[in-house]
Structure formats: C-alpha cells, structure tokens
Amino acid sequence: MQSLDIASLSAGYGAGTLTPAHVLDTVYARIDQQGERPVWITLVAKADALAQLAAAPKGKLWGIPFAVKDNIDVAGLPTTAGCPDFAYVPSRSAHVVEALQAEGAILIGKTNLDQFATGLVGTRSPYGICSSVFSADHISGGSSAGSAVAVAAGLVSFSLGTDTAGSGRVPAAFNNIVGLKPSKGLLSNRGLVPACRSLDCISIFATTCADALAVLAVTGRPDPEDAFSRSAPQATQTAAWPDGFRFGVPAGRLEFFGDDQAESLFHRAVERLRAIGGMPVEIDFTPFSQCAQLLYSGPWVAERLAAIEDFATARPDCLHEVVRGIILSAKGLSAVDSFKGLYRLAELIRQAEAQWAKMEVLLLPTTGTTYRIDEVLADPVKLNSNLGVYTNFVNLMDLSAIALPAGFRPNGLPFGVTLLGRAFADGKIAALADRLHRALPTATLAATPIPLATTPPIPVDAAAAGTITVAVVGAHLSGQPLHHQLSDRDARLRATCRTAPGYSLYALAKTQPAKPGLVFDGHGAGAIEVEIYEMDAAAFGSFVALIPPPLGIGTVTLADGATVKGFLCESHAIEGATDITRHGGWRAWLASP
C-alpha cells in the first residue's frame, strides 16, 4: 500500500520512483472505491486536480494532495459550512489555502463537518454522518469529521480542519492520526466562516507529527488582512527536551466516563513520557476544567450567533436541530454576561499560572472516551459535552496543543493523548509529541499497516537547542510579580537551591516592584535561596534586555560548587538598602514580621 505521508511522497518524487500524477491516480481510485459521501461535500474533478498539478510551483509541498474543511474558502468552490442554504462561492481562497498552493500542494476537495463547526461528534451534518475509520458504528469526532477521515483513510496526505473547542483534536484521537492545533493567530483565519472568531484556529491533520509541523511551517505566516493574526517567527522551531523535563498530570483520578480501557491507555502514555526523560508533576486541574465549562455555559455562545446572526435569525429552519438550539440560545445573553465571563476567564487564567510554574508541558487524554453514533443521536448535547472536558479550555487560555495516537483498546478502537504548551510553543511540543508517538509499540500510520518507523522523525533545530541556565533571587521567583517574564519565555524550573557562602542579600530602596540585590562580598553567610531556570538562548537574550540597573547578570556560585548565570547587584546600590541576608532569601524576608 502506498503511504501518502509527505516525507515518503517527497522522497519518491525526488528519487524518481513516484510521480504526482501516479499519486493522484491512487487518490481518486481510493475515493471511487469508498464513495464521495459522507467524507466529501465538494470533490475536485480529477481532471481539475491534474490541471492544478500542471500549474503548481515546485515548492516544499509540490504534488502533495490535501483536503480542506468546508468552512474554509477555496476560490470557485462553494463554501457551505455544512448548511446547503448558507452556501456561497468565494472569488478568493483563504490565506492558508493560498499559502499551501503557492508551495505546490494539490487540493482534492472540501470535507464534511458538524454544521457551522458546532460539535465534537461529526453527526450534525445534512451531508451524512462520518464514522471512525476503525468502526462504522462509532463516531469520527467533529466538527472536522471529513478532514480527519480523509487523512486516516489514505485519501490525502494532510488536511485542514478548524479548532475552537477541540475540533482539530477529537477527530484525530478517534482515527489514529495527529491533530495539530496551532497557537491562536499563528494561522490566518481570513477566508474562514467563523464559529467563535476570537478563539478559532485553523488546524492540521496528518499521519505524523513531522508532516503536521511541515504544513504549519508554510502556513504560519502573519496576515495584515486578519485582525487576529499574530507574528511568532520562532513558533515552528524545535528543540531537544532534556532529561528531567517536567510534564503536568492532573492530580487525582481523571474522568473517563466508565471507559477503563481508555484510562489504562492514558496511564501507559504517562509511563512512556517518563521513559523518554520526562518527570511527571501532579497539578491542580481545577482552573482548566472550570474554564472548559465557560465555553458553552458562558457568553462565548453569543460569539457563535454573532458569526451567522443574520442567516440564523432569518432562516432558523435551515439549521440542524441541535446546532440551532445551541446558537439561538445566545439570544438570552447580555453584554453584562459577556463581561462577567471575561472576568471569570481572567481569574482562571491567573489561577492556572501557578500550575504552569510547575510544568513545561501538560499531558491529557484527548477525550475520556468515545461513543457509538446511535448513542450520540439519542443524547447529542450531553455526550458532546463529555468529549470537550479536556479540550474546551485550550483556546480560551491561549495555549498550543497537539493530539497524537496513544494505542488501541482491545476492541480495536484507537485512543489518543494531547500535549499542551504555552502560546507559540508549537514546534517544541510537536517535537516532543513525535518522540512520544514513536515510543508507542508497533505504531502505524492511521488505519494502515505501514510502520511509523518508516517515516523520518522531526529533526531538532540546532539553533534552538542551545539553552542557558539562570538563577533568580527576588521578584522573578515563582509567585512573585515579575515571574511572568520567565513564564512568557517558556523558562523551565530546574531546581530550588541556595548559593555558596560569601553572598549578601539586600532589600533595595525605591524599586517598583520591590526587588532585592545579591552581592558577593566574601562576608555574607551565604545560603541565599535561588530558583534555577533554563531557557532558550534567544529567550534569554530578550529576558536580559528587561533587567534594569542596578541589577545585572553575572556568574553565581551555588552551594554544591556549580556556577550559573544569575542576578547580581552593583555594589553602589546597597547604600541605603536593608541587609536581609540573615533571612536566607527574599520570600523569607517578605514573610517576616
């Protein structure tokens, strides 16, 4: 069986053992055998795909077949958003589609979805219900149902979905593929029918983490035409994860909705991540879970109505029954509700900061369980909500995420996990996800017998691999007012320890926020508490640029004799300062009477 992963096709084209025309023959033969519905809403004719190929530039994705969720514009093809009465034909393609075709990728068609991208199940479409490629009785996941199935069934190399509440991750879990949800604004949403415009992310499905990251690298470009576009030049950089990196795991027993097999597979994923060098750290999942509840019980439902208000108000009978109930429920929300929701979100993000200080990446089940199609049709709202427990909070909290396969239940249904990082950690967590995916025994590509090991891993970016260790002593300590300058740069806490003898600590006068000064004078009792952080070299440079005089970065000797870069104070600044050395550290002095 011919694998359609990007790396294999590009290698075959380069070696002359494959041609894009032959690959398109394979793609259309598979589609003919399977049928257009329910995966496709609009299929590009084979002759038109060959015409694309003839005109395609020989860029990084030359000859690579892909699909697009049908709430993303493609010039000349109808955009339905899963609602025939809403359909229109755009004259211009979405920004991401333009970027892909500029690199030579070949569009095969537009895929089925939960109507107006409202759902995590894949059952809310008049174009038919997609099922998992592993079971005709089980849901495919949504709302990016057709996009995920097209990749998992070997019909395209990669596809574009969207992800507001988890729609780019849940279908990945149910089809044994990778779902990369980029940081908000990294991919332009120009040409996307919005669900929640402030939260929407165009997402990427592929069979490997390397392929997903390759697509991200050519689509993650700033777009002045999208008000929510953000620039992050280093977002696709990868870096080595050193032994001892800390990954968060929620304390206590997670909710698997009675799916003991899924729970067992998650625990195995934790052990695999530990085996490749990670150190599990228990975190309080409460702020994340409470944030997840905001998405549909809070004012963000009103944003879904704002996206299609004129159509939904004028033609409510054209909406899918479940989608109509969700979107039109927003008519009861007020501006006051919106502000209350924003205030609550800010509180939960602040609470989550304390948990992020403990970890560099968060490991979660992508979903706690899966369901049969008939179960979802019988109870469409509750079961959909269950699928969002570990996904709904991610865009609200401005996080990056990548879903990856994590094994199979005894009944043959796949299970997946998700790695989450701070905004613009996309490349770094993709590199770790790739290692975790490859640590899975007998990992294969989607629903094929092709081993994952036949594809190349994500290479570590040598420029990003260099790290610098720095000791902080005062306002940058965890829980202190300037700690965000470290967390914003994805700095990783390595240890809490003390300095060697000879250091004195002073509370400096007239600093805002209050700061201490660490001075080596040879007289101090030493044993001053410090936290040791590690960060990328580029991040360290921008961090140092924030340090005001009289503070600076020098070399600090620790109690065990090791030396690190750390905060030191110019000696003239201790005039008029208070000697607090006897307290043994800044936090101890702040807590003293």
Side-chain angles (χ1 to χ4, degrees), residues 341-397:
L342 289 170
Y343 300 155
R344 181 57 178 154
L345 175 60
E347 292 170 356
L348 293 170
I349 290 174
R350 179 57 56 87
Q351 292 172 23
E353 286 293 335
Q355 305 310 310
W356 279 107
K358 304 174 185 177
M359 60 183 173
E360 296 150 67
V361 64
L362 175 59
L363 176 69
L364 293 174
T366 301
T367 67
T369 189
T370 187
Y371 296 109
R372 296 193 313 272
I373 292 172
D374 60 354
E375 292 176 314
V376 170
L377 294 177
D379 194 356
V381 174
K382 180 181 178 181
L383 300 193
N384 186 93
S385 296
N386 290 350
L387 297 179
V389 167
Y390 303 117
T391 62
N392 284 354
F393 65 89
V394 176
N395 285 341
L396 284 166
M397 287 187 160

Side-chain angles (χ1 to χ4, degrees), residues 432-578:
L432 182 60
D434 189 47
R435 289 181 61 194
L436 182 58
H437 191 187
R438 293 173 187 279
L440 186 67
T442 64
T444 56
L445 302 181
T448 75
I450 300 170
L452 174 63
T454 62
T455 68
I458 291 178
V460 173
D461 188 327
T467 58
I468 295 175
T469 302
V470 60
V472 301
V473 71
H476 289 91
L477 294 167
S478 55
Q480 295 301 305
L482 295 182
H483 180 74
H484 69 91
Q485 293 181 354
L486 290 168
S487 59
D488 288 350
R489 288 160 178 77
D490 199 26
R492 302 164 288 278
L493 179 64
R494 285 292 171 231
T496 299
C497 55
R498 295 188 177 273
T499 67
Y503 289 90
S504 295
L505 189 67
Y506 294 85
L508 301 177
K510 298 179 181 179
T511 58
Q512 186 63 37
K515 302 179 186 71
L518 184 68
V519 177
F520 182 79
D521 55 14
H523 305 300
I528 303 298
E529 181 190 40
V530 293
E531 287 180 345
I532 310 298
Y533 286 87
E534 181 182 76
M535 68 180 82
D536 298 340
F540 178 76
S542 66
F543 175 68
V544 171
L546 298 175
I547 299 171
L551 303 178
I553 295 292
T555 300
V556 175
T557 303
L558 303 178
D560 63 1
T563 59
V564 295
K565 296 301 178 184
F567 278 82
L568 291 173
C569 181
E570 297 175 16
S571 58
H572 69 83
I574 65 174
E575 295 181 12
T578 303

Side-chain angles (χ1 to χ4, degrees), residues 196-207:
C196 292
R197 191 178 173 206
S198 67
L199 301 179
D200 293 336
C201 297
I202 291 178
S203 64
I204 300 163
F205 293 107
T207 55

Side-chain angles (χ1 to χ4, degrees), residues 174-321:
F174 293 168
N175 291 281
N176 197 45
I177 59 174
V178 171
L180 191 157
K181 187 219 74 72
S183 300
K184 286 194 302 181
L186 187 56
L187 269 64
S188 168
N189 286 339
R190 195 258 295 160
L192 169 67
V193 177
C196 292
R197 191 178 173 206
S198 67
L199 301 179
D200 293 336
C201 297
I202 291 178
S203 64
I204 300 163
F205 293 107
T207 55
T208 71
C209 295
D211 279 4
L213 191 59
V215 174
L216 181 66
V218 301
T219 52
R221 303 171 181 174
D223 179 9
E225 296 183 64
D226 175 13
F228 289 91
S229 176
R230 297 194 289 179
S231 178
Q234 298 177 350
T236 57
Q237 281 190 349
T238 59
W241 286 76
D243 286 346
F245 69 85
R246 295 165 300 122
F247 66 94
V249 178
R253 187 168 184 180
L254 295 180
E255 179 61 82
F256 289 92
F257 307 97
D259 191 340
D260 294 339
Q261 296 170 1
E263 184 173 12
S264 176
L265 287 167
F266 178 68
H267 291 313
R268 292 182 207 173
V270 171
E271 292 308 310
R272 281 195 300 277
L273 196 52
R274 186 203 299 266
I276 62 175
M279 180 177 69
V281 177
E282 288 194 342
I283 65 148
D284 180 2
F285 192 60
T286 304
F288 302 94
S289 61
Q290 291 184 353
C291 183
Q293 295 169 22
L294 283 179
L295 192 60
Y296 283 100
S297 63
W300 283 271
V301 177
E303 196 169 12
R304 290 184 181 271
L305 177 59
I308 58 166
E309 183 176 16
D310 292 344
F311 179 81
T313 301
R315 307 183 68 182
D317 291 342
C318 296
L319 301 181
H320 185 281
E321 180 183 4

